[in-house]
């Protein structure tokens, strides 16, 4: 799979931490089927990950010593493995982003913008919600829980949508995204279990987590779309051909990765929802075998 893999499960969690080392040196500029539009769509998505996954780690760490979960050994092991996997995702997406940067696509500034958006939004929402007893830790963890549902859902699309897989014509990039997708599904319940353990399952918690998903998805759509338009414009590729390929890839009813996420995303609004309601065990076993994990 064009990566050195070191697998560790010293935490004793239900999933391992795989220390990857993908080689991005020979990745072509337009690695996704030779298409500028599709490549920039994925680069705009990747630009969100380093700062985003650091936020996920910090949000879970901030509450892991809460009395309600401090002595839950099983959950503590899951948290440790979650942090390990997310740290590895950050590392590899930094390498991914650097491979785009070397072609003159300014991903570094997009990473900086992502951090600015995260910090500004989290502080604004905490200030807004303070009068009703919602703390910064609650805002951060519910946002993480919502965004983890998004990442697990888009990961399922990557693992099941053959059209998308066929467009990933560079082996290194395809393997990197599929490895990331596997791990997003392996740890998809951790942040959610931490949230329920700390804040319970009552009406207030339900309202908090569902409203957080709406806010997070609206913010994510605006930021990723801006990143995409910026990359296309800088590359002089903001044209009909690029936009058409992006529409087919992401938003067309028959093949679109974003449209395909709809049903699973809406399940989050079920009052008794849990991420493990979406059984991806067989799918993950299939892809782990394909990638030699």
């Amino acid at each position: 799979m064009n990566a050195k893999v070191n697998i560790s499960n010293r935490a004793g969690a239900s999933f391992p931490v795989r220390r990857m080392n993908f080689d991005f040196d020979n990745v072509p500029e337009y690695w996704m089927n030779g298409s500028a539009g599709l490549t920039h769509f994925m680069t705009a998505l990747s630009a969100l990950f380093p700062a985003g996954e650091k936020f996920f780690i910090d949000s879970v760490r901030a509450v892991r010593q809460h009395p309600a979960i401090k002595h839950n050994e099983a959950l503590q092991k899951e948290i440790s493995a979650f942090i390990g996997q997310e740290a590895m995702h950050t590392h590899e997406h930094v390498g991914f982003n650097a491979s785009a940067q070397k072609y003159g696509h300014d991903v570094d500034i997009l990473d900086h913008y992502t951090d600015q958006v995260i910090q500004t939004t989290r502080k604004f929402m905490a200030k807004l919600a303070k009068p009703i007893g919602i703390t910064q830790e609650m805002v951060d963890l519910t946002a993480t829980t919502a965004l983890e549902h998004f990442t697990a859902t888009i990961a399922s699309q990557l693992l099941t949508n053959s059209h998308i897989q066929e467009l990933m014509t560079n082996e290194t990039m395809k393997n990197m995204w599929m490895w990331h997708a596997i791990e997003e599904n392996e740890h998809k319940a951790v942040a959610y279990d931490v949230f329920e353990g700390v804040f319970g399952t009552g009406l207030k918690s339900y309202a908090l987590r569902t409203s957080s998903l709406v806010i997070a998805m609206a913010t994510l759509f605006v930021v990723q779309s801006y990143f995409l338009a910026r990359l296309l414009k800088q590359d002089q590729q903001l044209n009909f051909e690029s936009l058409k390929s992006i529409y087919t890839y992401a938003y067309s009813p028959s093949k679109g990765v974003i449209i395909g996420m709809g049903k699973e995303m809406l399940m989050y609004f079920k009052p008794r929802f849990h991420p493990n309601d979406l059984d991806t065990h067989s799918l993950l076993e299939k892809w782990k075998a394909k990638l030699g994990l």
Side-chain angles (χ1 to χ4, degrees):
M1 62 181 296
N2 196 26
K4 296 177 181 178
V5 186
N6 180 20
I7 299 178
S8 171
N9 201 21
R10 288 176 295 174
S14 63
F15 52 90
V17 176
R18 303 174 183 88
R19 306 194 182 281
M20 313 299 286
N21 187 20
F22 289 98
D23 181 4
F24 298 106
D25 288 346
N26 297 315
V27 172
E29 182 175 15
Y30 303 130
W31 60 267
M32 195 158 181
N33 203 38
S35 167
L38 298 183
T39 299
H40 287 317
F41 182 91
M42 297 304 286
T43 302
L45 190 61
S46 180
L48 301 167
F49 282 117
E53 286 172 323
K54 181 181 182 301
F55 170 66
F56 298 164
I57 291 170
D58 291 344
S59 299
V60 173
R61 273 183 174 155
V63 298
R64 76 177 299 180
Q65 296 304 314
H66 189 281
I69 62 170
K70 183 177 181 179
H71 301 294
N72 185 332
E73 291 186 14
L75 183 55
Q76 289 293 329
K77 290 175 180 178
E78 299 289 284
I79 291 170
S80 294
F82 168 83
I83 290 171
Q85 284 195 343
E86 292 289 35
M88 203 63 232
H89 297 171
T90 300
H91 179 269
E92 293 304 321
H93 276 278
V94 167
F96 174 110
N97 295 345
S99 73
Q101 188 78 28
K102 75 179 182 181
Y103 289 112
H105 310 305
D106 197 1
V107 186
D108 287 346
I109 192 66
L110 303 185
D111 178 42
H112 175 68
Y113 287 165
T114 301
D115 187 57
Q116 284 188 324
V117 169
I118 290 170
Q119 297 307 321
T120 301
T121 305
R122 64 184 284 271
K123 290 173 184 177
F124 173 76
M125 294 308 300
K127 186 176 181 179
L128 196 66
K130 187 177 180 179
I132 57 174
I134 295 175
T135 64
Q136 184 71 72
E137 289 78 13
M138 291 177 76
V139 168
D140 293 348
L141 187 59
T142 49
T144 293
T145 303
L147 288 164
E148 280 291 300
H149 180 59
F150 167 80
T151 56
T153 304
I154 196 170
S156 294
Q157 275 293 300
L158 294 179
L159 295 172
T160 56
N161 191 320
S162 59
H163 175 65
I164 297 169
Q165 294 158 19
E166 289 167 3
L167 292 171
M168 291 186 175
T169 47
N170 179 266
E171 183 182 3
T172 298
M173 288 302 198
K174 181 177 181 179
N175 288 340
M176 192 279 291
W177 279 104
M178 295 307 167
W179 155 74
H180 191 163
I182 288 168
E183 295 200 344
E184 286 299 334
N185 271 274
E186 285 181 329
H187 70 232
K188 65 184 177 182
V190 177
Y192 194 96
D193 287 341
V194 171
F195 171 78
E196 283 202 341
V198 174
F199 301 122
T201 59
L203 181 60
K204 182 178 179 180
S205 296
Y206 173 78
L208 185 60
R209 72 170 176 83
T210 51
S211 60
S212 183
L213 182 67
V214 174
I215 295 166
M217 291 306 98
T219 305
L220 186 67
F221 176 78
V222 171
V223 173
Q224 197 266 351
S225 297
Y226 167 70
F227 285 2
L228 174 57
R230 183 186 174 100
L231 287 167
L232 289 168
K233 185 177 180 180
Q234 286 179 337
D235 197 24
Q236 298 182 349
Q237 298 288 342
L238 188 56
N239 52 48
F240 177 77
E241 182 181 351
S242 292
L243 295 177
K244 181 181 178 182
S245 66
I246 291 165
Y247 167 78
T248 303
Y249 174 69
Y251 302 108
S252 67
S254 59
K255 299 177 179 178
V257 59
I258 303 301
I259 295 299
M261 294 169 60
K263 184 178 179 180
E264 287 190 20
M265 289 299 297
L266 289 172
M267 287 182 69
Y268 198 76
F269 292 92
K270 290 174 59 178
R272 304 300 299 175
F273 169 78
H274 188 273
N276 289 336
D277 293 343
L278 302 164
D279 185 8
T280 54
H281 179 76
S282 297
L283 180 65
L284 297 189
E285 290 303 309
K286 170 188 168 184
W287 274 99
K288 282 189 285 186
K290 278 189 176 184
L291 298 184
L293 298 176

